[in-house]
Each structure stands twice: as C-alpha cells, then as structure tokens.
Amino acid sequence: MDYLLIMDILGTVAFAISGVLTAMKKRMDAFGILIIAFVTAVGGGTLRDILIGFPVTWMRNLTYVHVILITTIVAALFRSKLVYLRRSLFLFDTIGIGLYTVVGIQKAISIGLPPAICVAIGTMSACFGGVIRDILCNEIPVIFRKEIYATACILGGVSYFVLVKLGLSQNITFIISGVVVILARLLAVIFKLQLPSVYGKEEESNEAP
Amino acid sequence: MDYLLIMDILGTVAFAISGVLTAMKKRMDAFGILIIAFVTAVGGGTLRDILIGFPVTWMRNLTYVHVILITTIVAALFRSKLVYLRRSLFLFDTIGIGLYTVVGIQKAISIGLPPAICVAIGTMSACFGGVIRDILCNEIPVIFRKEIYATACILGGVSYFVLVKLGLSQNITFIISGVVVILARLLAVIFKLQLPSVYGKEEESNEAP
Amino acid sequence: MDYLLIMDILGTVAFAISGVLTAMKKRMDAFGILIIAFVTAVGGGTLRDILIGFPVTWMRNLTYVHVILITTIVAALFRSKLVYLRRSLFLFDTIGIGLYTVVGIQKAISIGLPPAICVAIGTMSACFGGVIRDILCNEIPVIFRKEIYATACILGGVSYFVLVKLGLSQNITFIISGVVVILARLLAVIFKLQLPSVYGKEEESNEAP
C-alpha cells in the first residue's frame, strides 16, 4: 500500500507540474496556474468518479490538495530549473498514468461494468486531466493529436482482462498491467512511435506546422 | 421497441460520423478521432444522466460502444466516399435528435421535473454531444451560431406537453413530438430558415466570413 | 430569507447579462445567447451540486429559469443601453459571487467536507459559471488571467472558517464572510489590484496585447 501511495504522489506531482507549465505558457495569473495544476492532477479521477457515481476522491482526502498546492508553488518559483528534471517528470507522469489506468479499471469492475467499459474508464482516469487542462487553456487536447499515450493505457487495460482470464491473482494482474502501460509508453517514446495516420501523404504536406 | 432501437442506432451512427469528420478536419490521430466520435454520440445523453442523477446509459449497454467503434473505423477508411451519403447522414442525424429529445423529456418527467426543465433536458440530450465535440476541437459550438437545430428540439418538446395536456396517450405523444422535431429541422433546412439575428444590418456587414 | 432571495436574483441577473454580452460579442444566434446566459448563471452551482452529489438546484426551482429567460430577452433587446448599467451590473455581480461563495461553503460543510475543500467548492460555485461561459465561447477563462475575482472568494471562504473558529453564530459568519468577498473585490477594482505576476519584467514586454 505504501508503494501505491508513493506512486500516486509522484504521478500527482508530475501532472500538476504539466499543468503549471501549460498555464504559464498561456501567461495566466497565480490563481489560473493553481487551478490548471489542480484540474490536470485530479480531472481524470473526478470525471471517472462522476461517471461511475462514486464520491469524488480528492474531496475526501486532503493529501492531493496539499501535494498539488506545494508542487504548484515550488514549480512556479523554480520554473527555469524544471528543464533539468524533464526526464524524471516524464517518468513520474508515466508511472502516474500506469497507476491511474489500473485503479480506474478496478473501480469500474467493482460496480460490475463490462470489460470494454472498464478499459475506457481506466484510460479516461489517466488521460482526461490533460484533456481538461488543454480545453481550459484553449488548445486542442494534445493526446488527440500525437504521442502514444492513451494507447498505452488501452494496452494495459486489455492486458488486465487477459491476465484475469488466465487466472492470475488480483495483485499480480494489477502490477503487470500497470507495468504494461508504463513500458508501452516508454518504448513508444524511445522508438518515436506514433499512431498510424489516417491521412494520405499529400494531405500531410498541406498541414500547417 | 425494435423501431426505437433502429432509430437509436441510426442516430448514433450519424452522430459518430459527424464526430469523425470534425476530428479529421483537425488532423487528429486515430485515438483522437475515436474519442471525438464517441463523445459526439454519447455526450448529450451522458450530461443528461449526470444532471438528473441516473446511471450513465452507455456504460451499461455495449451496443453503443460497438456501433460507435465500427462506425468510426468504417467512416475513417471510406471517408472520401462519405460525401455521397450526405443526405442519408443528415436524415439519420435528424432522426437521432428527434428520438433523443423525446427520450430525454421522458426521463426528466420520470423524476418529476417541471415541463420547462424537461424540455431543456431533452434539448440538451439531443444537442450537447455536438457542443462537447466542438469544444474538444477548439471551435465555438456550431449550434450556437447557426441552423435551426436546438430550436427544432425545443418545438418538439413544447408539443410534447401540449399533446399530454390534450389527453393523448403516451405512445402517440412520443411519436408526434418526435416527428415535430424531425419536420421542423427538415423544413428549416429546405427553406433555409435561421433564427432571427439580434444584430443590426450594419453590424452584420462587418462580420468576418 | 427574503434578502437572500433578492441577492440571489440580482446575482443571477448580473451573471446572465455577462453571458449575453460575451455571446453577442461572438455573434451567436438567439439560442446560443440564451444557452450562454443560462450556463453563466447556473454553471458554477451545477458543477458544485454534481461534485458534492446533490440534486441540481435549478432543475427543481423554476425561479432561476424565469429570471434568466427574462434577463436574456431584455438584455438582448436593450443591449445598447447596458453600458449605462455597468456600475450596477458590476455591483450585482459582486453581490452574486459573495452569496454563492458562502452558500457553496455551507453546502460543502453540510456533507462534512474538510475546510480547505469547502473553500474550494465555494469559490468554484461563484466562479465556474464564468469559466464554462468562456470555454463555450472559445476563450481562455478571464478569471485565470486577470482581476482579483476568485481570490476574493478564497479570502471570504477563509474568513468563514476563522469566524467559525472564533465561535460566532452561523448567521453572523454567513454575513461577514459574504461581505469580505464583496469588499475584497470592490477594493481590488477601485485600487486596480492584480495578483502578483509570476513572470519577469522582460517576459512581460514580449506579451501580445
């Protein structure tokens, strides 16, 4: 349980920092930056809880609020140094989506939703904080345009149900499918994989940069 | 009941395709296109269910997920052919909003909401999938700017309560008010009706195209 | 209770008008203007109710619907005269956020949420109607960029819990902390206060107007 808490906090920190950076790029004021950090960190889980009818997690547990508040202040103060942490932040973020995907799936299973929906809920938990961040910053959500991100979550989600079918224990399933998400994303970034484009070559060249 | 299911699926197909087309115009990747198709098709109903405190429909019924998945794949593959289906898609879309408006109204009635709110909920069920689609694609929602679309839903909604007042059976009321929505939209498009502008002539000419 | 109702209506009117003005600036049609007015007026409270699991207020009480409908029609008809009401509207708006902040806090307290979360819920009740308005109009929410607005709500929220700690009665606490919100905003506007920028001087000068 301790490991989970640490992973959860690392993920929250990484998500909050990505919010801070996006908000600062839009020249928001201190309140705007805090809200965007907050929404990026808890948005996916909030949407998940509302959709499946659970009480919203962060409202009952001040840990998230404190972590996000401290992260935002530290990140805003030392923003020029964040570039040196790029790799660590990417790693934390990846750990975060791995964890959130599997936690989301388990919550959805607990109310008896069908597997395909559970995978969707897990993916949403992991990805929609970033989607809401981008909408509030008046951008087309970045995960709709590039990067294997949601796809990694879906892969991990599918492997969760494969492992359950194979009869593995819940703990093992939890760990392996979380690791699948993390590995899929790491490999995708290392080998610069992207989702196949549905657009032709010619169209591609007309694209604005 | 069978007819309703077919209409529901036709509507879902039309909504999903409109999502696919909007997402492709924004050059989203495969995941982005799928999400936009999904949100366009189920977004209005999801908002309705959350507002009135019902369990979210598509999470309990995989039909929608399958229809949207297949539609998205087929539409993305044969996108250059979609132009030949323009009329059919418009018709399906119109059938969809007729059905969703009335279903939304009946759900709202079932928890005892006042008529004006029921009409609002029905209109929202029919129209807000498109609103969320446009927000995710970073556009001002098209239904706020032109076309008799929501207005057709409101007309159908009002006629629902008029028919109930006249003492007609629920089935007849359901059918007639759905048909009112469909006819209002068809006639509006045929005769190129628009909502009266609240802006003066002079202002109009300054408008960017 | 009568005073509260009057304040609530004044706030709703001011919020609806700010929605009408934003929607008209975007050249929306009559339906678009109505929806934006509606969302601006009830959006914050709706989000609050969904997050804390309460039934959505405006769906059970037609007063809001009527006030917003009438306000929208009158504001759209006499829009050229609204400039003369600027001060009154600003005052109503400020009364509105004062009231909504404290009402939001009390609702959150009633389900046993911790103080920090209650302040967040109160601030959200007051501010997120405007956030949703700006998102629907494809703008970065104005409260994330300038003006002491949310900050006034947070100040009022904090003073609420300070007053409770001091042992004051609920009524007195309600009034004083609402007044804190109102005064904070009035003073901020009078003295042109802004949140401290986290950006350097040099960066500032590069900003697009």
Side-chain angles (χ1 to χ4, degrees), chain B residues 1-4 11 13 15 33 44 63 65 75 91 99 102 104 116 121 143 161 165 188 193 205 207 209:
Chain B
M1 227 29 191
D2 273 348
Y3 286 110
L4 285 186
V13 167
F15 280 30
I33 294 171
T63 311
V65 177
L91 196 65
L99 179 63
V102 190
I121 299 284
I143 68 156
F161 286 97
K165 262 272 185 304
L193 298 177
S205 66
E207 188 177 7

Side-chain angles (χ1 to χ4, degrees), chain B residues 51 135 138 141 144 150 198-199, chain C residues 27-29 31 79 136 138:
Chain B
L51 283 177
I135 293 173
N138 204 13
F144 294 168
V198 293
Y199 313 101
Chain C
R27 311 200 64 78
M28 293 188 178
D29 66 16
F31 175 75
R79 67 191 182 286
L136 287 176
N138 204 14

Side-chain angles (χ1 to χ4, degrees), chain B residues 131-153:
Chain B
V131 171
I132 305 176
R133 173 199 64 209
D134 293 342
I135 293 173
L136 288 176
C137 292
N138 204 13
E139 299 280 349
I140 294 183
V142 67
I143 68 156
F144 294 168
R145 306 197 74 173
K146 49 185 173 194
E147 257 195 88
I148 300 283
Y149 193 98
T151 314
C153 303

Side-chain angles (χ1 to χ4, degrees), chain B residues 34-158:
Chain B
L34 179 61
I35 291 288
I36 301 294
F38 201 85
V39 159
T40 312
V42 305
T46 304
L47 185 60
R48 174 200 65 209
D49 292 336
I50 290 173
L51 283 177
I52 64 180
F54 275 35
V56 178
T57 315
W58 60 266
M59 298 197 332
R60 299 280 172 182
N61 186 340
L62 281 175
T63 311
Y64 297 104
V65 177
H66 293 150
V67 168
I68 295 167
L69 207 58
I70 294 167
T71 302
T72 304
I73 294 171
V74 172
L77 289 178
F78 299 100
R79 70 194 181 283
S80 60
K81 307 286 182 288
L82 284 176
V83 72
Y84 302 115
L85 295 173
R86 231 174 21 194
R87 274 157 193 269
S88 312
L89 286 177
F90 171 73
L91 196 65
F92 293 176
D93 186 276
T94 303
I95 292 172
I97 64 168
L99 179 63
Y100 300 155
T101 302
V102 190
V103 169
I105 287 174
Q106 292 195 326
K107 283 206 176 189
I109 289 175
S110 77
I111 59 162
L113 295 176
I117 303 297
C118 295
V119 175
I121 299 284
T123 305
M124 210 180 275
S125 310
C127 300
F128 266 64
V131 171
I132 305 176
R133 173 199 64 209
D134 293 342
I135 293 173
L136 288 176
C137 292
N138 204 13
E139 299 280 349
I140 294 183
V142 67
I143 68 156
F144 294 168
R145 306 197 74 173
K146 49 185 173 194
E147 257 195 88
I148 300 283
Y149 193 98
T151 314
C153 303
I154 295 171
L155 275 181
V158 170

Side-chain angles (χ1 to χ4, degrees), chain A residues 27-136:
Chain A
R27 313 202 62 79
M28 293 188 179
D29 66 15
F31 175 75
I33 294 171
L34 179 61
I35 292 287
I36 302 293
F38 202 83
V39 159
T40 312
V42 304
T46 304
L47 185 61
R48 173 199 66 209
D49 292 336
I50 290 173
L51 283 177
I52 65 180
F54 276 34
V56 178
T57 314
W58 59 267
M59 298 198 330
R60 299 281 172 181
N61 185 339
L62 282 174
T63 312
Y64 296 103
V65 178
H66 293 150
V67 169
I68 296 166
L69 207 58
I70 294 168
T71 302
T72 304
I73 294 170
V74 172
L77 289 178
F78 299 99
R79 69 192 182 284
S80 60
K81 307 285 181 288
L82 284 175
V83 72
Y84 302 115
L85 294 173
R86 229 172 26 192
R87 273 155 195 270
S88 311
L89 286 176
F90 170 74
L91 195 66
F92 293 176
D93 186 276
T94 303
I95 291 172
I97 63 168
L99 179 65
Y100 299 154
T101 303
V102 190
V103 169
I105 287 174
Q106 291 194 327
K107 283 206 177 189
I109 289 175
S110 77
I111 59 163
L113 293 176
I117 304 296
C118 295
V119 175
I121 299 283
T123 305
M124 211 180 274
S125 311
C127 299
F128 266 64
V131 170
I132 304 175
R133 173 199 65 207
D134 293 342
I135 293 173
L136 287 176

